[in-house]
Amino acid sequence: MRKKVTLEHAPEIVVGLDIGTTKIATVIGSRNPDGKIDIHSYGKGESTGVQHGLIYNINKTVNGINISKDMAQNSFNHDIREVFVGVAGRHIKSSEYKHTVTRINGKEDVIRQDEIETMVSDLSNISVNPGEQIINVIPQRFVIDRHRETTDPVGELGEIIEGYFQIITGNEGEIKKILRCVQDAGLDAETIILEPIASGLACLSHEEKKHGVVLIDIGGGTTDLAIFYDGKPVFTMVIPFGGNSITKDISTICKIPMELAEKLKIKHGTCVVEKSNSSNYLTIPQLHGLQPIQISENMLAEIIHARVQTDILEEIRLAIRDSGYASKITNGVVLTGGGSMLSHLKELCQYTLQMPVRIGHPGVGFVNMQGDLKSPIYSTVLGLLKYGIEGIDGQAAQIEEPVSVNEPLRKTMRKHRENYKDKGKEKEKKVDFFNVISDFFNDLLEKAT
């Protein structure tokens, strides 16, 4: 049992919540006097209501959030309410937008931070396709007076500012499902952050992000890609295949349950066929007294290799090539997420992408991390916590209007909370028999908001 944490003079507490395909994790932390991030507690629940990064069963997802939240709270003396939540899934899209502003007194007045924030706000309110919602607007680079390029224009003189921004959108219905699950668990989503960006905050160094690096987060349902350059995420992509896709292939071809296929993958699997033992056969028991079947390690490796090489690594190679940043990646690739622990994946990735590759263990800027949290499977939730404390550019994200979080998304979140409370009150009026339960439920909602 983990020791219960007590803080006499508690700093501002921040919570990261990762609703993944295979697990739901909650981490509680704060910034210490040395500027590092103290980890106070964490919890993990099973995720049975999510597939390919998308929530399909509200009740199961809420149950997983509650288990994760309760585990974290049980070893910490603060009730948690506001959380920084991750979003991924095949509905995520990323595109680059150019926004130009002409300044009246550009030759005399230096560019101010509020002018850049206004540019971000402008793009946060642009029209997107029906059913889509802007999640993040990320400044990438600026060109001053048509010729001088910079990533930090504040303090410079100039009449024309051309800003290039990455706009990340997601399906509005999927975002609302995330918000509903968070609120049904008695929590309040402070904001929603793209998961590969969060993972990058947890396991990439400043130098890697500055000089160009590819972050590949292989989760259970999806593989998330983010390219960082000049300290910022400049390209993102979600590939709709992850560790569960490999497990399902093994299950289907070998005609065995998913649970057994997962154990085979972890214990005997490799994604490099040449590394397998072709003379070693694995005996797989069957149900209902049927004769056990045998599969060679070589065949198991071929099943795994086919999915990893064709649907994940090859897609990543093409994405990097087409991103426009291939020539600027000088720090290679960092693999993280639970799928990064697949045997010999590092070697296959290095061969396919022709870049140096390392496994990304979270830990950049954290202290008091328990052993379990050092695993790549916790990169996203620790990155969400770090975003809540430092923001995307190393500055506190808990200001009134973070530049990388847009107002339309905040309005959607506020409207959802108001509708949620209204429905609770309406139900209380109509169903007298459930008055006591409804009162208790509404009290929880009031505390959460």
Side-chain angles (χ1 to χ4, degrees), residues 31-87:
R31 188 193 296 277
N32 68 19
D34 296 328
K36 299 287 186 179
I37 298 174
D38 263 321
I39 305 297
H40 302 310
S41 66
Y42 72 99
K44 183 175 75 168
E46 190 177 1
S47 181
T48 57
V50 181
Q51 290 182 355
H52 301 292
L54 306 178
I55 295 171
Y56 75 95
N57 188 299
I58 300 295
N59 291 345
K60 289 180 179 180
T61 304
V62 172
N63 184 56
I65 294 174
N66 278 325
I67 292 172
S68 171
K69 175 191 70 173
D70 291 344
M71 285 181 65
Q73 286 187 146
N74 286 343
S75 55
F76 192 62
N77 67 337
H78 283 67
D79 290 334
I80 59 176
R81 295 179 184 174
E82 294 184 346
V83 294
F84 286 81
V85 188
V87 61

Side-chain angles (χ1 to χ4, degrees), residues 219-432:
T222 62
T223 295
D224 303 328
L225 167 70
I227 298 176
F228 291 78
Y229 181 71
D230 246 338
K232 302 179 187 298
V234 293
F235 178 86
T236 59
M237 178 180 176
V238 176
I239 299 169
F241 300 102
N244 282 4
S245 305
I246 303 168
T247 304
K248 188 174 182 181
D249 289 344
I250 299 170
S251 173
T252 302
I253 294 172
C254 298
K255 297 180 173 58
I256 58 175
M258 285 285 287
E259 295 80 5
L260 184 53
E262 180 70 14
K263 290 179 181 178
L264 276 180
K265 181 182 73 174
I266 293 172
K267 189 172 182 179
H268 300 285
T270 173
C271 57
V272 178
V273 178
E274 291 76 13
K275 295 290 185 179
S276 64
N277 185 351
S278 58
S279 61
N280 186 34
Y281 281 77
L282 308 169
T283 301
I284 304 173
Q286 297 292 289
L287 299 174
H288 310 298
L290 297 175
Q291 286 293 323
I293 63 172
Q294 286 190 327
I295 177 176
S296 69
E297 278 193 16
N298 192 256
M299 180 181 175
L300 180 63
E302 287 177 350
I303 296 170
I304 296 172
H305 174 83
R307 177 68 75 176
V308 173
Q309 180 67 49
T310 304
D311 291 327
I312 297 178
L313 293 183
E314 185 61 23
E315 289 297 315
I316 290 171
R317 186 187 69 81
L318 295 174
I320 294 172
R321 183 197 67 183
D322 298 337
S323 69
Y325 289 91
S327 62
K328 297 180 179 179
I329 299 168
T330 60
N331 281 287
V333 174
V334 176
L335 287 171
T336 194
S340 68
M341 295 183 284
L342 179 64
S343 183
H344 302 111
L345 178 61
K346 174 183 172 182
E347 291 82 354
L348 182 60
C349 183
Q350 188 165 300
Y351 173 79
T352 304
L353 302 182
Q354 293 295 295
M355 294 181 184
V357 178
R358 74 172 178 88
I359 303 297
H361 295 268
V364 179
F366 298 94
V367 293
N368 297 328
M369 287 181 64
Q370 299 188 34
D372 290 350
L373 286 178
K374 296 177 182 177
S375 167
I377 69 174
Y378 289 106
S379 291
T380 296
V381 71
L382 287 167
L384 293 169
L385 172 67
K386 191 171 185 179
Y387 180 95
I389 293 175
E390 296 185 350
I392 204 167
D393 297 317
Q395 298 176 347
Q398 295 195 331
I399 53 180
E400 187 176 347
E401 288 295 334
V403 218
S404 54
V405 179
N406 63 88
E407 183 58 25
L409 180 57
R410 286 181 173 271
K411 288 178 180 177
T412 298
M413 293 161 69
R414 286 196 293 267
K415 183 178 179 181
H416 185 80
R417 287 196 290 267
E418 290 167 3
N419 290 342
Y420 188 85
K421 287 192 289 185
D422 290 342
K423 286 180 181 178
K425 292 175 182 177
E426 182 180 345
K427 183 178 179 181
E428 182 180 357
K429 291 177 182 178
K430 290 182 178 179
V431 189
D432 295 332

